[in-house]
Structure formats: C-alpha cells, structure tokens
Amino acid sequence: MDRARHSDVVVLGAGVSGIYQIKRLVDLGIDAVVLEGEDDLGGTWYRNRYPGCRFDSESYTYGYSFSKEVLDEWHWKERFSSQPENLRYLNFVVDKFDLRRHMRFGSRVERMAWDDSARHWHLRLSDGSSHTARFVITSLGPLSAPTLPSYDGMDAFEGEAFHTFFWPAEPVALEGRRVGVIGTGATGIQVIAEIADKAAELKVFQRRPNWSTPLNNSPISDAEMDEIRGRYDEIFANCAASPGGFEHVPQWGFWDKTATERRAFWDELYSQSGFAILAANFAEIFFDETANRELSDYIADRIRGRVDDPAVAEKLIPTDHGFGLQRLPLETHYFEAYNRPNVELVDLRETPIEHFTRTGIQTSGAHYDLDLIVYATGFDAITGAYDRVEILGVDGTSLAERWRDGPSTYLGVLSHGFPNLFMVAGPQSVSGSTNFPRAIETGVDWVTDLVAYAFENGHSRVEAELGAEQEWVNEVIRAHERMLFRRSKGWFTGYNSNVAGHQEGSVRYQAYFGGAPRYRAKVDAIAADGYEGIQLG
Ligand code: NA7
C-alpha cells in the first residue's frame, strides 16, 4: 500500500486564497503544501475562460495588498481586468515568491477523515494516493462547484455544449455558428454581451431576468497607474472601512432628499463604474422596500431607454425582486445586444424548455437549431465545494450531512466536530458578501495566526465549541434577516434550482452580511482574547 505523505499543514486549492495562504505559512517556516485538483494554479481565474469574464471589482481593489513589491511592480491594464490578465497576475505573484514548489497540481482530494487518536486528517486523493496533515486549511472558493440543469435529452444534443466554468482553453469558433446561452446571471450577462456580435445567431434562454447596470470599464494608463500606486494605502484603508470591501461607501439619507434630487444622484451613479450604483447608494435601498422600489423603477426606465423593442425591454426587467437584492451583474452593452438582428431573447417563463434534441432545444413555443449550447447556469455556491469532498469528522460524522439544511460554523472558519479544519472564505464568513480578496486576506491572516499559536503552544487539537458556534450562527441569521434580500432567489442566499435542498422555500444562511468591518472587529477580538469559543487541546 502507498505510504501516506505527511505535512503539518495541507492547503486545499491554489486559487486566490490558497496562494496567499501558502505564502503566509511558508514565511513562518511551517511545513505546508497546497493540493490542487486542477493542472495549474488560479482557481476561478484558471477555470472561467469564457469570453467577457472579468472583475466587477476595481482591479486595484481586488489585487493582494500584502506585498509592497507586488503593488509597485504590477500594472493593472484595465479598471476591471479580464480573466487572462487576472491569471497572469496570480502567476506573477506565485513566481515572484517561488510558491509553485509548494503546490501539487492534479491532486484532487476526494475524502478526508479525522483521526482523533493520531490527531491528524487522513486525505485520500483521486489518484489513490494518501496524505496526512495535522491541520487542513480549505481554500476551495465560494463559486467552484458548477451546476447544470437536467432537461430531458441533454445528452442527445450532437453539437458542442459546456458550462461556462469549463469553457475550453483553446479558441472556440463562434463565427457562422448558432449559439444558445442558458442563464442570465452575472456570467450569462458577461458572455452574452461579449459574443453577441460574433455568433451568427444568438438565442438567450432566460428564465428570470436580473437587474444589471453598466460596468463602465476603461484602460489604466501609466500615469493613472502611478497615481493608483501612490494611493494604495488609502485605497486599502477605504476598502477596510466599507461594509462591502470596496472604495464605494453607502450613506443613509434617502428620505432627506426629494425624488428629483434622488434621480439626479442616480444619474450620476449610473455613469460611474463598478458597483457604485449599488454600494455608494443610499443604505436604505437594502432595508426599506419603498426606497428599493423607487430605485428599481429608476433602473427599469434605464433598461427601457436602451432596448429598442418595448416588449423585449419588459422581459429584461425583473419583477420578482428589487434592485440589488440578488448579486448584481455588471454589463458592457448587454442591453444593446438585444437590438441586434442576430440576437433573440427566449423567455422561458412564457415558453419553457420541454427537452433537448439532437439539433437544439425544444421549448413549448418553438424548436431552436443550435451548434453550440453554453450553460451559464451558475454554481452550488459557498457550500457546494465542501459537499463535493467527503469530509468525515469526529466519530465519522459527515460534514455534508451536518450541513444538509445549511452550514453551521464558528466565524465562518471552524465547524464543531471537525477539529483542525480551518476554512478560508468559508460559509458564514464575509467572503461571500464582499470584495473577495479583501475578505480572504482577513481570513488567511486570522487562520495563520491561529495555526502559529497552536504550534507555538503545543496544541494539537483545535475545535470550535458548539455553544460559541450556535451564537455565531444566530448572529449570521440576525444580520441576514435585517436585509431585504433575505428571501431572494440568488446564490448568496443558497438558492439553486438545480441542487436538491437549495430550491425555492429553503432558507440557507450562507454568508455573514453584517459587513466586513464588524466581522474583522469580531474575529480580532476573539483572537486577542486567547481564542474564545475555541477548544485548544
Ligand atoms: P447565477 O447568478 O446563479 O445565474 C445562473 C443563471 O442560470 C440564472 O439566470 C438562472 O435562472 C439560470 N438557470 C439556472 N438553472 C436553469 C435552468 N434549469 N433553466 C434555465 N435557466 C437556468 O450564476 P452565474 O454564473 O451567472 O453567477 C455566479 C457568480 O459567479 C457571480 O455572482 C459572479 O460572482 C461569478 P434563475 O434565476 O434560476 O431563474
């Protein structure tokens, strides 16, 4: 039998958080390795190669803040950088710190079981090999478990078909081809806008429309980049002080303005870039239905103003949720795509998909002949990546079972019954609700300090206390229930029509919505207090 390799710490995943995590561990001289299932590093930015894939966060707020050298040397070329550039950036960081030698690619962990007598995790990889580790840190990513619909006959389709997550690395021909895209979330909206003028025909199969506003991307010149570099301390301080981890900050005061003043303010925000319209808006829009309704009406008018056919415009306007109450996709000429003669919106609420055929998709209204079908159908978000590994804790308890009705964590980092397992960007942390890298730096730093503390103090077993965990879950629930989106059918509330238990009517408390500053204050206070709520043995 294969002898298991051992590392003091195993990090799962070489994406944005895994890269920073291994950097911190290596700097402390801790024996650690990253196991990555893919053939190379990059996580989200390695996989999602679909046209139009890019940041919705300002590039310079998304990059790592931990290294002055990286900040000085890296030039972001666009305000919202694209996937190829983002992957280059991650490779640049990894090469700069020579981190690749701490990463094992093609190493997908299928099963991990806690051995309470040996006080280590036993990991089994898909190639049959084993690994043991005192501590396991998961950097699995919140959006790394793609999901497909299950329509009859999907396998019978003889053209090309793939999920956006698996868009091939080699160029995919679009010219002269009839393309169908299923899904109009953040991904669908990016890909549709980008390929509308490239495909011969584009059919968009839309179930529920999403609100979407202009990204307003632009290049970053050398001079601008110099100015950004000079401002990095301020930029990161601004991000740290804002609830969403952006430079945009919401303000209370909706009712202090007249309706005319509010419209003028929104005109201004609509022409700004990124999430300004969401995150620099009146705070009331997240809590007060009347305020949210007025803003939604404003955005609906904007959509009407951009789509030539009024009937199509109405189909693109959400009626089941208010603006900003699901993850807001940002777009570049998305609505104008529907003014093109080669683009057709197929409203699945009027004419549902009945089944697939060898040559396309049959709805209740028509048959659509297609050469390529793109599934932009989203992810089993936040907890899906955990469910896809068999994780067995104390007494063989399965994490997937324990979380069947929703995750239960202490601070989004630990889960009772699963000692020495630390999650970076885990469920019920702020990473699902804020500018991701800003949140993961908090998570990685905190986990690294805890691991170092355990080693320094000879603790070989670190477990969340059940009572402390329940209190945290209650805090997560309270923060969630205050917000208008509490019943929205989006991925950050755990909704996914294609995953059992995540469908309409189930409420899953997936992320902490109390804001990044409050989260950071909380976890820092707990660390300062000798890790209150955590049993160290
Ligand atoms: P999302 O936001 O979950 O969107 C998925 C889309 O796919 C959404 O429009 C769904 O419609 C649609 N969908 C899902 N299943 C089906 C079926 N069975 N039939 C028709 N349409 C379907 O995923 P994204 O990838 O766009 O975005 C995820 C995150 O990735 C994003 O926030 C970024 O941060 C990166 P529905 O709304 O369920 O009616």
Side-chain angles (χ1 to χ4, degrees), residues 143 149 151 182-187 207-208 327 376-379 491 498:
L143 294 160
Y151 291 113
I182 303 178
T184 50
T187 302
R207 196 161 55 186
R208 291 182 311 137
R327 199 286 200 189
T377 44
F379 299 87
W491 65 260
N498 305 308

